[in-house]
Amino acid sequence: MSWQTYVDDHLMCEIENTGGHLSSAAILGFDGSVWAESHNFPKFKPEEITYIMKDFEEPGYLAPTGLFLAGAKYMVIQGEPGAVVRGKKGSGGITIKKTGQALIFGIYEEPVTPGQCNIVVEKIGDYLVDQGY
């Protein structure tokens, strides 16, 4: 399966009971290289990925300043140290799952809930970890 298929068919899928789906999604390498992305994934700055990676290495690193992606600021909320970073911005937010080789991004807006985004992103992330990625 291609990386783009994971984004198109699994991250951007319709979410049960909402009729909605994630606003955008991507799979990136640790260096910020794009493996696959939805057509509207924000054009991020390389240093934003560097800071996100730093939070995985030093959990809580982004908490004082917030998480930035394409200049948009997300308040960092509960995640899983070293594995998942979550952020909130207005009625939407972001979930980032770290696998052995990649970062899985999901960005959502209402009617999608934070929990639904977490499930979609983390399910794919866990699958890729199990596959050695």
Side-chain angles (χ1 to χ4, degrees):
M1 188 178 316
S2 76
W3 293 116
Q4 193 61 50
T5 302
Y6 283 108
V7 171
D8 296 341
D9 295 351
H10 299 286
L11 290 170
M12 296 300 292
C13 64
E14 185 172 319
I15 297 172
E16 289 183 35
N17 303 323
T18 69
H21 51 78
L22 297 181
S23 303
S24 60
I27 302 174
L28 276 57
F30 292 162
D31 61 356
S33 59
V34 177
W35 293 11
E37 64 185 346
S38 61
H39 69 89
N40 58 346
F41 190 74
K43 301 301 173 205
F44 57 87
K45 300 172 188 156
E47 62 269 18
E48 293 171 332
I49 304 305
T50 300
Y51 295 141
I52 291 168
M53 286 300 296
K54 182 107 172 149
D55 194 82
F56 283 114
E57 295 163 15
E58 297 175 30
Y61 176 79
L62 291 174
T65 60
L67 181 160
F68 287 85
L69 189 68
K73 181 179 180 178
Y74 295 85
M75 178 180 66
V76 178
I77 56 176
Q78 173 201 359
E80 296 174 29
V84 179
V85 174
R86 298 182 183 116
K88 185 89 174 115
K89 177 176 159 270
S91 63
I94 187 169
T95 302
I96 307 166
K97 168 75 176 178
K98 181 178 182 268
T99 71
Q101 299 178 26
L103 299 174
I104 315 300
F105 285 75
I107 299 173
Y108 67 93
E109 292 292 337
E110 288 183 335
V112 175
T113 67
Q116 290 167 325
C117 179
N118 296 344
I119 289 168
V120 169
V121 171
E122 294 173 39
K123 183 176 170 184
I124 294 301
D126 291 342
Y127 172 79
L128 292 175
V129 167
D130 290 346
Q131 299 303 307
Y133 294 104

